[in-house]
Amino acid sequence: MRGRRQSSGAILLAILLMLSGWPASVAAHGGSSGSQTGIPIPSLTHGEMAVIAPYYGRIISLAESVSDTDETFRRLLNFAEIQRAYCLWGLMPDSVSDEESPFNECSHAYLAAAKAVLLQMRVMKVEKAPVDDLVSDIDTALVRNNLSLILCKFSGESFNTADLIRPKLADIAVHAKSLAAILSAGLLVLAGLWLAARALRPKTQP
């Protein structure tokens, strides 16, 4: 139960984060139409995304351990982490597998950035063995699953560190699984607050 409350709290926290910085003029599916003053990030196929997603934590952990970095690397890493937060840290159901999910495009964005971070480490002065091992694991998974050629409507979309992708609230409202997850998280948090308030309520003297 405690784990579910923490997960629900994370979802609500991320929603508040998105709402606090949500420009009214930004459309959810405008990834390649915004500012291009940042660092360009190549597109990612739907199959690549499905394979890279389980490796996201290893990629970022390895990247954060690099001490000798340059501006390009830091901006790519920063974009990957911020973009994943806007994508509710991958907590929304089917955000990677369902191209109709309002969180699918932003999943493409942070996973494309993670791939770019990994490829950047291959040309940097870092310990090569962990990087090569991770690249080899991902390549093997791609070949084994024959997923690299599977496309979806966002597969050809490139991204840019200057253009964060924010899921559109209207799309969330009409996507059953996303809406159900958010409402469930809200109910669990409210139930937790009610139980906490009841536990802290002063007991009346007989």
Side-chain angles (χ1 to χ4, degrees), residues 115-133:
K115 178 186 176 183
V117 166
L118 179 60
L119 295 180
Q120 189 74 12
M121 284 191 284
R122 298 191 74 186
V123 299
M124 293 170 60
K125 294 180 179 179
V126 301
E127 188 179 351
K128 295 298 182 182
V131 176
D132 289 342
D133 287 345

Side-chain angles (χ1 to χ4, degrees), residues 130-144:
V131 176
D132 289 342
D133 287 345
L134 186 51
V135 170
S136 178
D137 287 347
I138 294 174
D139 279 342
T140 300
L142 282 168
V143 172
R144 182 175 62 246

Side-chain angles (χ1 to χ4, degrees), residues 32-71:
S32 58
S33 62
S35 171
Q36 297 297 308
T37 59
I39 299 169
I41 300 171
S43 60
L44 194 69
T45 69
H46 195 69
E48 285 180 305
M49 182 173 71
V51 168
I52 290 176
Y55 293 94
Y56 174 86
R58 283 179 61 187
I59 294 172
I60 299 305
S61 178
L62 187 58
E64 289 177 338
S65 70
V66 176
S67 56
D68 186 11
T69 62
D70 56 24
E71 182 183 358

Side-chain angles (χ1 to χ4, degrees), residues 30-36 39-44 79 105 108-109 112 153-161 163 165:
S32 58
S33 62
S35 171
Q36 297 297 308
I39 299 169
I41 300 171
S43 60
L44 194 69
F79 176 85
E105 186 182 19
H108 269 274
K153 60 186 177 183
F154 301 120
S155 293
E157 181 177 5
S158 59
F159 302 96
N160 193 284
T161 57
D163 189 17
I165 305 298

